[in-house]
Amino acid sequence: MAAPPLSYDEISPAVERAVQSQRALDIHTHLFSPEFGAHMLWGIDELLNYHYLIAETLRQSDIGVDAFWKMNRAQQADHIWQTLFIENSPVSEACRGVITALKTLGADPAERDLNRIREFFADTTADEMIDRAFKAANIGAVVMTNDPFDEEEARVWFKGRPPNERFLPALRIDPLLNDYEEQALPTLLAQGYHADAALSKQCLGEIRKFINDWIDRMDPLYMAVSLPPDFAYPEESIRGELIRQCVLPVSYFRGVPFALMIGVKRQVNPSLRMAGDGCAKADMSALERLCAENPNNAFLTTFLSRENQHELCVAARKFPNLLVFGCWWFMNNPSVVEEITCERAELLGLSFIPQHSDARILEQLAYKWPHARETIGSVLAEKYRGLAASGWRVSAAELERDVHNLFVGNFQRFLERAS
Ligand code: FIX
Ligand code: ZN
């Protein structure tokens, strides 16, 4: 017998329950498992030294960028805490995130005592913190960002794929597509591939081999690149050639989707280092052409500019081989997440991935997911209430099915179809 439909008043609490209880798969993070040594970032000093908070601190403090970079990690964390949490109220999303994470993980942020908070973290091992953070976020696994051009990271992979079911690989190829001559070519040569600056026929074959070898080594869920706002396709450029002749064929033949993260302006202010990136509106037609010309390739995408979000939904309506994911970086603020999620639901139904965390520091999972669930839950509740007002009735089981698809199922099915 079909489950009874929910009454109008039962909808919001049922959506809330479904959204809170659904275990998510976090499809894009910068987290690493312990096997990657120093790449794995965790603890209160790292949490405070998040590049989002560094940018905010340097706006408010009088010490200047150079003096900030001369400090050691703990001194920087002290300074960020003092500036953003003590001398000002921590209302920004990144600041509130630290407070939510501390509370969710069991430290008391209200006392405002950084040394007490440090003691709390000192009593916890990395493995314990992984368990706690995953539990607080209610996630089953995170997808890492794995860079074969990073020497230290590559060394770990050369020893064999770390058997960790909670940290899944994604093959990131930014150096190949964004800085071929300076960054990618030396690594290709050092790893034994006969590459050259002219992209000869032999070189293109070697680059396909490089990508194939790394797919064998990592078994990644997808391969990914971040791209500037002026990304164009097709294009007579190194990037255009490499996408056309190497990335697309390998992605298709290996059944590994290609994720394009579009709209980042790297190093608008280099003195801020990792905090110095900006964003701008991109031209959607590059993505449209990629999807239209390669209907058998699978593409994942997210855009960094708010101005691109509506156009992106329209593009996704046209291409079943395109799956939109997450509210990336400068989009990951409750007001924008609410707007984008609403827009996506209205234009795409439930055929998208509402969020990824982009967490860099383990404990961030314990705020990014609770904050995301709060906003996504309220948007969905409104949509289902609207449906009920129009005369449709949903059951709790149907809600759970839908939320499962948003948080896990849509991505899994997309991967299965691609493979
Ligand atoms: O390129 C990316 O994957 C970006 O997410 C990062 O480079 C960025 O620094 C970040 O951490 C955003 O959340
Ligand atoms: Zn990222």
Side-chain angles (χ1 to χ4, degrees), residues 397-415:
E398 286 167 337
L399 282 184
E400 284 161 20
R401 171 203 63 196
D402 294 350
V403 172
H404 175 266
N405 284 339
L406 288 169
F407 283 17
V408 201
N410 291 344
F411 182 59
Q412 281 176 344
R413 257 200 319 277
F414 192 75
L415 295 184

Side-chain angles (χ1 to χ4, degrees), residues 171-220:
L171 172 56
R172 184 77 175 237
I173 52 174
D174 282 37
L176 186 67
L177 298 183
N178 293 331
D179 193 7
Y180 176 74
E181 281 190 43
E182 295 289 316
Q183 277 194 62
L185 186 53
T187 305
L188 287 165
L189 295 171
Q191 290 186 16
Y193 296 89
H194 300 291
D196 54 48
L199 295 189
S200 66
K201 203 166 163 221
Q202 173 191 291
C203 168
L204 291 169
E206 287 288 285
I207 292 173
R208 281 191 293 273
K209 184 168 178 340
F210 169 84
I211 301 173
N212 269 308
D213 288 348
W214 276 98
I215 289 177
D216 290 339
R217 195 168 285 127
M218 282 181 183
D219 192 15

